Amino acid sequence: MTNLRLARPESASLDVDALVVGVVNDDSAVRLAPGAEVVDQALDGSLVAALTGLGATGKPGEVTKVPTFGKLAAPVVVAVGLGDSYDDEALRRAAGAALRSLAGSSSVAVLLPAATDEAVAAVASGALLGNYSYLNYRTGNGHKQPVAEVTVVSEADADDAMRRAEVLAESVTLVRDLVNTPPSDLNPEIFAETAGRVGEKAGLSVEILDENALVDGGYGGIAGVGQGSVNPPRLVRLGYRHPEAAKTVAFVGKGITFDSGGLSLKPADSMDWMKSDMGGAAAVLGALKAIAKLAPTVNVVGYLAIAENMPSGTAQRPSDVITIYGGKTVEVLNTDAEGRLVLADALVRAGEDEPDLIVDVATLTGAQLVALGTRISGVMANDDDVREKVVSAATRAGEAAWPMPLPDDLRKGLDSAVADIANISGDRWGGMLVAGVFLQEFVPDGVRWAHIDIAGPAFHKGEPYGYTAKGGTGAAVRTLVQVAEDVAAGAL
Ligand code: BES
Ligand code: MN
Ligand code: ZN
């Protein structure tokens, strides 16, 4: 993990490998953002001219490196574009882009415009997340290591905000690592054990149901999806309690360690990123780990519904009927609609914790990508107020999310000829909403519930940008922590 420090401008050691400053785009010319003055003075006021000469414009994500020719202890100044604003997300992305461009250096000081606690937290988390790279399977010395020491320079007394940013970044990093791990090395058993280990270390209560306990306990969704794999399924429950808590929140995550589609096999180009299909469960784990450290006044339980969806002689068949925990039956018409089956068991089970709110997170539908693209999560709920507040929590946490409806009329398409409900609809359209309507059937009566579809946002296939690397993104961790804090504050 990166060594992170906060220093005041006067006491900051600028004897580092690189100094990061902000630049903005003003009337199509590049201008220095506040914080850069000390650096500019040491360079005899030549920084803007140098940047202009190098073609810098200040647009978001642009990184321009300027040598200091011995005028500063640091050999290079890195000017990162903020666009036309200093809002928290602009700071986070700029810090991320700067740190990513500095992989291989050992120490970096970041002098971005961060006057408030929130702005310092944004710079710190952007820097930590932009500094991420997944090197576990790289051999040789050809791969640049992340920066070891990052100093955020600010006037603000923002130690608590820094700590919160660090805790969140640590959890996002955990989730990215888990998502990036090849599915051969993160099968359900390993994922559950890892979750148990992380949970115990964080001081959470841990309960793990293995395949026998799942079958005996009547968890037909998780057992059914998992039965086609030689790697048997798991259900993990993590618990955080606060002695003065007035409310309980339950988080439920989809944990398909690999989604081949099962006998309803996916085509090859849809399958190669399906190691990310456990991103929801990983986000629940990451959130619980962060919550244990931040200690909000609320009780939180997390369920990780874990299975590997494989085709085989023991796999579920399209038209099999399974019984979800609690007794409802489902006709499995398409084995690739497996996420909703494992989530159904966990949603019903979560009711036993008598939660005031349930939020599930899942890489649930390709239709989410069609509707909202790769970067914006879809939020559905059985309560308008909950939906708005979960979207608001996501936005405040720096994660893009958008409200989506659960139209009643879509339920009809899920009618089964033989069971209580089918797992796919006869209707072609609105697949993200159909999945939400299916899940809603398993939400315990009278419990407020939101569903976040992170199919696109959980995994980034494109070129890195801002603080987002290729691969696992850690989507929804920050949102879930914000939700828990909002419930603790009586705001949700
Ligand atoms: N894990 C997939 C959804 C997915 C697709 C996540 C792309 C991330 C990227 C899910 O299990 C799935 O296969 N859903 C099907 C449902 C369909 C059969 C009703 C889908 O969306 O095609
Ligand atoms: Mn699937
Ligand atoms: Zn899936």
Side-chain angles (χ1 to χ4, degrees):
M1 205 53 199
T2 319
N3 190 349
L4 181 72
R5 277 200 269 265
L6 176 64
R8 297 188 158 275
E10 63 275 13
S11 60
S13 162
L14 301 183
D15 186 3
V16 288
D17 291 343
L19 294 173
V20 175
V21 299
V23 287
V24 291
N25 182 285
D26 180 21
D27 249 350
S28 67
V30 66
R31 296 271 176 274
L32 299 182
E37 302 85 357
V38 276
V39 176
D40 189 39
Q41 278 155 25
L43 298 174
D44 310 319
S46 65
L47 192 50
V48 169
L51 288 167
T52 306
L54 289 166
T57 62
K59 71 169 197 279
E62 174 191 84
V63 170
T64 311
K65 297 187 178 177
V66 183
T68 63
F69 297 117
K71 293 189 170 163
L72 273 162
V76 63
V77 171
V78 177
V80 62
L82 287 158
D84 53 13
S85 90
Y86 307 152
D87 71 27
D88 289 351
E89 185 63 8
L91 290 171
R92 237 179 255 122
R93 290 190 184 197
L99 265 288
R100 188 149 32 73
S101 80
L102 287 165
S105 319
S106 54
S107 58
V108 171
V110 185
L111 295 86
L112 285 167
T116 64
D117 284 17
E118 290 73 34
V120 170
V123 171
S125 60
L128 292 172
L129 295 176
N131 196 27
Y132 176 86
S133 61
Y134 186 68
L135 299 173
N136 290 5
Y137 292 80
R138 300 284 198 194
T139 65
N141 303 321
H143 299 282
K144 290 180 178 171
Q145 297 296 316
V147 176
E149 248 180 56
V150 175
T151 306
V152 176
V153 181
S154 170
E155 305 269 8
D157 263 327
D159 291 309
D160 290 349
M162 285 278 285
R163 177 160 176 275
R164 184 171 182 279
E166 205 169 3
V167 166
L168 289 175
E170 212 176 277
S171 278
V172 171
T173 298
L174 167 68
V175 175
R176 288 180 176 183
D177 282 348
L178 289 169
V179 169
N180 288 333
T181 304
S184 54
D185 285 342
L186 195 86
N187 63 33
E189 187 181 4
I190 302 173
F191 187 19
E193 271 171 17
T194 305
R197 207 170 343 101
V198 168
E200 256 156 39
K201 196 163 166 226
L204 301 167
S205 66
V206 176
E207 180 190 338
I208 300 179
L209 302 187
D210 68 10
E211 68 271 32
N212 298 321
L214 288 167
V215 171
D216 293 349
Y219 297 85
I222 302 172
V225 172
Q227 77 188 30
S229 173
V230 293
N231 302 306
R234 296 287 183 267
L235 176 64
V236 179
R237 179 189 183 278
L238 303 171
Y240 160 80
R241 293 191 71 81
H242 190 288
E244 283 135 50
K247 295 215 158 140
T248 296
V249 191
F251 295 146
V252 172
K254 170 178 172 180
I256 302 300
T257 58
F258 185 72
D259 182 12
S260 70
L263 288 175
S264 312
L265 196 66
K266 284 183 186 296
D269 60 352
S270 303
M271 206 191 287
D272 61 5
W273 44 318
M274 282 304 124
K275 67 173 184 179
S276 64
D277 212 20
M278 34 57 74
V284 169
L285 171 63
L288 265 288
K289 177 182 159 154
I291 287 164
K293 290 196 176 158
L294 298 171
T297 311
V298 56
N299 296 326
V300 184
V301 293
Y303 285 97
L304 285 62
I306 305 174
E308 185 177 50
N309 189 24
M310 296 294 266
S312 78
T314 63
Q316 330 188 69
R317 310 149 193 82
S319 75
D320 274 355
V321 173
I322 59 176
T323 303
I324 301 300
Y325 189 67
K328 279 194 187 133
T329 57
V330 179
E331 185 184 13
V332 181
L333 289 175
N334 187 317
T335 63
D336 197 13
E338 84 297 340
R340 60 197 74 182
L341 305 177
V342 301
L343 289 169
D345 273 343
L347 285 169
V348 176
R349 169 65 201 270
E352 293 175 8
D353 296 294
E354 299 184 353
D356 299 281
L357 172 69
I358 299 178
V359 180
D360 78 71
V361 194
T363 49
L364 204 59
T365 64
Q368 183 278 325
L369 283 128
V370 176
L372 293 173
T374 56
R375 297 186 185 180
I376 303 175
S377 303
V379 180
M380 290 138 272
N382 61 1
D383 178 304
D384 291 345
D385 186 51
V386 166
R387 184 181 56 242
E388 268 166 42
K389 286 176 172 167
V390 169
V391 170
S392 153
T395 308
R396 278 178 284 122
E399 298 198 282
W402 206 252
M404 284 289 162
L406 291 174
D408 288 337
D409 61 283
L410 292 182
R411 174 62 186 81
K412 189 105 193 66
L414 289 166
D415 282 348
S416 159
V418 293
D420 296 339
I421 191 169
N423 79 327
I424 56 164
S425 175
D427 301 332
R428 176 163 171 201
W429 309 112
M432 167 170 50
L433 318 181
V434 169
V437 166
F438 178 94
L439 293 180
Q440 188 169 16
E441 293 282 314
F442 298 91
V443 174
D445 283 342
V447 180
R448 298 185 311 152
W449 158 78
H451 158 56
I452 311 180
D453 194 334
I454 57 166
F459 195 80
H460 181 56
K461 293 186 84 160
E463 287 312 305
Y465 68 96
Y467 52 91
T468 305
K470 266 186 187 288
T473 60
V477 172
R478 293 177 289 153
T479 297
L480 292 181
V481 174
Q482 190 64 55
V483 163
E485 290 175 336
D486 287 355
V487 172
L492 204 170

